Amino acid sequence: MSKAITDKVILSSKPLQISGMPGFEYLAEGKQSSGRPLRYFVVALYPSGHPFLLMGMAPQERFDEALPEFRSMVESFRSKL
């Protein structure tokens, strides 16, 4: 939870597997304290039962452009646990 982000809404959520690690992803949106809308891509992975959170965020008008790069970041994640 962040007090700097208001009007938070989860747009979608789904389970996933990255390199054999179970987890889930969700897309969300909210507003900065200035009122500027942002979108978030959040992935939680659980290698060996330890949580790792990966997050990308961008202004709504640039989010679709940035999403492939966020997904590439997640796909490249490797745990050393």
Side-chain angles (χ1 to χ4, degrees), residues 3-74:
K3 293 180 182 180
I5 305 298
T6 62
D7 298 331
K8 301 171 200 116
V9 176
I10 294 176
L11 303 172
S12 67
S13 175
K14 68 178 184 179
L16 55 75
Q17 286 257 348
I18 301 292
S19 299
M21 294 175 278
F24 68 92
E25 75 171 47
Y26 69 88
L27 298 174
E29 64 184 13
K31 291 182 183 173
Q32 290 179 316
S33 57
S34 66
R36 184 176 190 190
L38 294 174
R39 286 228 170 144
Y40 301 87
F41 176 66
V42 180
V43 173
L45 298 172
Y46 299 93
S48 303
H50 295 75
F52 284 87
L53 292 175
L54 307 168
M55 183 174 82
M57 69 179 170
Q60 281 185 339
E61 66 272 9
R62 298 193 58 216
F63 184 81
D64 289 343
E65 174 187 334
L67 187 56
E69 189 171 337
F70 296 156
R71 288 192 186 283
S72 291
M73 172 190 70
V74 169

